[in-house]
């Protein structure tokens, strides 16, 4: 009888050990997959931000339509300029005072033009697919919006691109995904989405920590 009890206890201990190992191993594997997918998604978000900032530089606003943003990259050009200081005669003050008066001015010379595509992506065409969520087996796309918000009676252009953790981790254990969406840490991506920009604030930063690379411009 004693031997039977010992055998049962050993079976229970082995089963608990197996469950504990699976739990720890499962979370380790989840974190590896999560990190890999977050890194890939953040690279796309950075590319989207670069494209949006270029669009604002040239047009004065951001673009909410991805196809139009791609066409902009394909066709638009940056104007290359040079600023230089100069001094000229101030006709108005000279007439008022009866003596020659000068004033300082800034002259902006146009030196030429350069393709936005070549400037930003240097021969790569990855901008054409940056809207696609880079997770194998998932055909989802990043959400992207652009518009204006009012600050101090001014209309300020804003944009936002994001993807939910649910989408990035669509094939992972549900309990791990729920836990990840609730995480709050300076070393983690807080909240339910990976995001760059904002539709409610003047902000072009990403919401990921520095451990994933620079989250600002």
């Amino acid at each position: 009888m004693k031997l039977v009890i010992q055998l049962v206890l050993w079976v229970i201990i082995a089963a608990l050990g197996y469950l504990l190992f699976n739990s720890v191993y499962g979370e380790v594997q989840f974190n590896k997959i999560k990190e890999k997918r977050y890194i890939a998604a953040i690279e796309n978000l950075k590319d989207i931000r670069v494209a949006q900032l270029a669009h604002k530089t040239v047009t004065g606003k951001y673009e909410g339509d991805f196809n139009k943003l791609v066409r902009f990259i394909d066709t638009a050009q940056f104007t290359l300029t040079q600023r230089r200081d100069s001094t000229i005669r101030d006709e108005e003050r000279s007439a008022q005072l009866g003596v020659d008066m000068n004033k300082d001015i800034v002259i902006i010379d146009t030196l030429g033009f350069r393709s936005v595509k070549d400037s930003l992506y240097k021969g790569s065409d990855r901008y054409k697919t940056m809207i696609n969520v880079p997770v194998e087996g998932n055909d989802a796309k990043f959400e992207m919006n652009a518009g204006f918000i009012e600050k101090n009676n001014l209309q300020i252009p804003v944009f936002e691109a994001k993807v939910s953790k649910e989408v990035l981790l669509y094939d992972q254990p549900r309990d791990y995904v729920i836990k990840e969406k609730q995480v709050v840490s300076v070393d983690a991506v807080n909240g339910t989405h990976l995001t760059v920009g904002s539709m409610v604030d003047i902000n072009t930063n990403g919401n990921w920590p520095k451990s994933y690379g620079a989250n600002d411009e």
Side-chain angles (χ1 to χ4, degrees):
M1 184 66 179
K2 184 177 180 181
L3 179 60
V4 172
I5 293 174
Q6 287 178 332
L7 288 174
V8 170
L9 288 175
W10 277 112
V11 169
I12 293 173
I13 291 171
L16 290 175
Y18 176 77
L19 291 174
L20 178 61
F21 171 80
N22 267 0
S23 175
V24 173
Y25 180 75
E27 190 158 3
V28 169
Q29 291 301 107
F30 170 79
N31 285 330
K32 286 182 179 179
I33 292 170
K34 178 194 73 176
E35 292 298 305
K36 181 179 179 181
R37 293 182 183 180
Y38 279 14
I39 289 170
I42 287 168
E43 288 305 309
N44 281 35
L45 288 172
K46 288 178 180 179
D47 275 342
I48 291 172
R49 174 172 59 194
V50 166
Q52 289 285 11
L53 291 174
H55 192 279
K56 179 175 177 288
T57 297
V58 174
T59 70
K61 63 180 182 179
Y62 297 113
E63 178 55 65
D65 185 301
F66 179 69
N67 291 327
K68 291 181 180 179
L69 186 60
V70 169
R71 284 198 295 273
F72 164 80
I73 296 169
D74 281 332
T75 60
Q77 293 182 318
F78 287 124
T79 302
L80 305 179
T81 61
Q82 174 182 277
R83 295 169 59 93
R84 56 189 176 90
D85 297 328
S86 184
T87 301
I88 62 172
R89 187 172 187 271
D90 189 330
E91 299 292 346
E92 184 177 349
R93 294 189 65 198
S94 295
Q96 290 175 346
L97 300 175
V99 295
D100 287 340
M101 299 294 295
N102 295 328
K103 63 180 179 180
D104 295 329
I105 62 170
V106 175
I107 298 174
I108 300 178
D109 297 319
T110 298
L111 303 179
F113 302 90
R114 186 177 182 185
S115 162
V116 169
K117 178 172 62 176
D118 293 339
S119 298
L120 301 183
Y121 301 103
K122 297 177 174 51
S124 170
D125 64 352
R126 68 182 187 274
Y127 63 91
K128 295 181 179 180
T129 58
M130 62 188 176
I131 198 68
N132 298 332
V133 175
V135 176
E136 187 175 350
N138 192 334
D139 296 329
K141 298 183 183 300
F142 288 90
E143 301 173 53
M144 190 175 74
N145 292 289
F148 294 85
I149 60 174
E150 185 174 328
K151 292 287 185 180
N152 299 322
N153 296 320
L154 296 174
Q155 292 294 310
I156 309 297
V158 292
F159 84 95
E160 181 180 71
K162 63 183 180 180
V163 60
S164 73
K165 292 178 178 179
E166 289 268 7
V167 169
L168 286 173
L169 305 170
Y170 78 101
D171 57 351
Q172 296 303 296
R174 182 67 181 167
D175 53 337
Y176 291 160
V177 176
I178 292 173
K179 182 179 177 182
E180 173 62 22
K181 288 166 62 179
Q182 297 171 343
V183 70
V184 177
S185 171
V186 294
D187 297 321
V189 179
N190 297 328
T192 60
H193 290 71
L194 273 72
T195 306
V196 66
S198 172
M199 291 301 294
V200 295
D201 292 310
I202 304 171
N203 174 24
T204 59
N205 292 345
N207 71 332
W208 53 87
K210 297 290 186 180
S211 57
Y212 287 99
N215 59 12
D216 53 16
E217 300 173 29

